Amino acid sequence: MSTHPFDKAIALEHSDIRAGNFTGATSTDYWNMVGPFGGTTAAIALQSVLRHPDLLGTPIALTVNFAAALEAGAFDVQATAVRTNRSTQHWTIQITQAGADGEPNMTTTATVVTAARRETWSASDMPMPEAPTPESVERLSIGPSGVAWLDRYEMRPFSGGIPAKWDESLHHSETRMWLREARERPLDFCSLAAMSDVFYPRVWLRRATRVPAGTVSITTYFHAGPAQLAEAGTGYLLGRAVGQQFFNGFFDQAAHLWSEKGVLLATSNQIVYYKE
């Protein structure tokens, strides 16, 4: 069976220079307008930690800061465990790419917190919203767009879809939809991190106006372990995204992802730049 496109996009080779130093290359399968889909860049940062020989536990938090878009081609990743405690481990990640002069240019910085979770009392105060069955919702079809990563996901919005008319009317910024990999692939932490960033900019829905926009920083919190991800398997996730404040060129949007059985798997918050 051929390698899944997502696994190709986040593939890393560990170098002999130092522990946690990896090399990779961008993927045309997940290309966005001016660079790779931000979700795959986030997944690459997380992958460098998950591949590190000194890893403790599983991810609980990932923050990715997009300083510049990666260009097509090779890049380097350095993951460093800056502190290891009894139950938590703190990481910094840097993604660099050689410039025209051959010197490394910083494109992405990130932090990851991993933890050795222990069985204890658990509960959720964020129940999954009521939703129609995935099969009863029409799949989103964008048509030719030149944005390759959109074809990698099956998205079925049942509330707050892309505006039918770009008429500058005002709407609520919430979207609810079912989503999963377009080509079947079991859910894991890296794909969950990527899917936390699949929602289009909330400012487009809020104003029914297309303006240039891009994520500056995104933080994803993981609320599940390997068993819960395995239970979700290749099924749909229910995603909800909503904007919270739009102010002078930046806005934030929050997102939630549940499994089909209603288990809250991840939440995320990001700050997004938009241009007038």
Side-chain angles (χ1 to χ4, degrees):
M1 188 174 181
S2 61
T3 304
H4 192 281
F6 184 74
D7 293 305
K8 291 181 181 179
I10 66 170
L12 296 174
E13 292 293 330
H14 197 274
S15 73
D16 297 328
I17 299 174
R18 58 183 293 196
N21 186 266
F22 298 88
T23 57
T26 58
S27 169
T28 56
D29 289 332
Y30 286 86
W31 203 252
N32 203 348
M33 290 174 286
V34 295
F37 163 49
T40 54
T41 303
I44 287 166
L46 181 59
Q47 176 80 317
S48 70
V49 171
L50 298 180
R51 289 275 312 277
H52 200 288
D54 297 333
L55 173 66
L56 169 72
T58 57
I60 60 172
L62 163 68
T63 296
V64 182
N65 304 308
F66 301 93
L70 278 166
E71 296 182 358
F75 56 81
D76 296 293
V77 186
Q78 178 63 52
T80 304
V82 294
R83 184 176 178 93
T84 299
N85 299 317
R86 181 179 178 184
S87 300
T88 61
Q89 195 170 40
H90 300 258
W91 298 82
T92 61
I93 301 96
Q94 296 181 334
I95 302 178
T96 58
Q97 197 168 43
D101 58 359
E103 293 298 314
N105 290 328
M106 184 70 64
T107 67
T108 312
T109 64
T111 60
V112 171
V113 181
T114 60
R117 291 182 182 266
R118 291 169 173 79
E119 290 290 333
T120 184
W121 177 86
S122 303
S124 176
D125 284 344
M126 185 62 69
M128 184 173 76
E130 292 187 7
T133 61
E135 296 77 13
S136 67
V137 180
E138 184 178 355
R139 181 176 177 177
L140 177 66
S141 177
I142 301 293
S145 64
V147 181
W149 76 267
L150 291 173
D151 295 328
R152 306 279 77 82
Y153 294 100
E154 178 185 331
M155 294 181 274
R156 298 176 180 266
F158 55 88
S159 174
I162 294 176
K165 294 182 180 180
W166 300 98
D167 56 5
E168 300 185 6
S169 56
L170 300 180
H171 303 267
H172 195 278
S173 63
E174 183 187 64
T175 289
R176 297 182 183 185
M177 68 178 178
W178 292 105
L179 69 149
R180 65 178 179 182
E181 301 272 1
R183 176 178 158 187
E184 191 172 277
R185 181 185 184 278
L187 186 69
D188 59 18
F189 287 109
C190 286
S191 58
L192 185 58
M195 282 191 270
S196 295
D197 193 35
V198 300
F199 302 93
Y200 68 89
R202 299 295 87 198
V203 69
W204 291 3
L205 178 58
R206 182 69 175 82
R207 301 173 61 194
T209 301
R210 280 179 289 198
V211 296
T215 302
V216 177
S217 179
I218 181 171
T219 295
T220 299
Y221 299 111
F222 302 97
H223 305 297
Q228 290 73 32
L229 301 190
E231 184 181 38
T234 60
Y236 289 95
L237 302 186
L238 178 63
R240 172 186 180 268
V242 64
Q244 298 175 116
Q245 179 73 16
F246 305 82
F247 177 67
N248 288 357
F250 294 88
F251 68 91
D252 66 334
Q253 63 185 52
H256 303 77
L257 292 170
W258 292 266
S259 70
E260 284 190 74
K261 291 189 175 181
V263 177
L264 182 63
L265 302 175
T267 56
S268 73
N269 286 277
Q270 62 178 279
I271 191 79
V272 184
Y273 163 78
Y274 65 95
K275 182 178 180 181
E276 288 293 323

